[in-house]
Amino acid sequence: MRSEPIHEAYSFVCLRCGHAWEGRYDIRHVRDAQGRLRAEYRVRGGVRVSSPLTDNTCRVCGGRRIRILRPGRVLSARPPLI
């Protein structure tokens, strides 16, 4: 079984250094070889990645204490570019 992709976006903030970022994912539910249902995450270009909800690391400091926010929270908090 392979479902149609669900498009999801998340905002993240590192609790160690304060760096914030957003990520967009295509999520499909697939059955593995043992018949168990699991989620498969992909980013732009179809590259498969581990779940950002359970395995995420800050790109700036390498911190692993990450808070997940609603999508759009990072961009709405940044000052406009001049």
Side-chain angles (χ1 to χ4, degrees), residues 4-60:
E4 288 298 313
I6 300 167
H7 308 290
E8 289 285 340
Y10 303 101
S11 293
F12 306 96
V13 64
C14 176
L15 298 178
R16 183 175 174 194
C17 74
H19 174 67
W21 69 97
E22 296 201 2
R24 297 185 185 279
Y25 303 88
D26 290 335
I27 306 165
R28 286 183 187 247
H29 291 93
V30 297
R31 293 213 181 263
D32 63 15
Q34 289 75 34
R36 294 179 297 233
L37 194 60
R38 62 179 175 80
E40 190 175 85
Y41 289 79
R42 295 185 183 265
V43 292
R44 285 188 190 151
V47 177
R48 190 169 163 200
V49 295
S50 52
S51 170
L53 305 177
T54 58
D55 185 26
N56 209 333
T57 304
C58 177
R59 294 172 229 159
V60 173

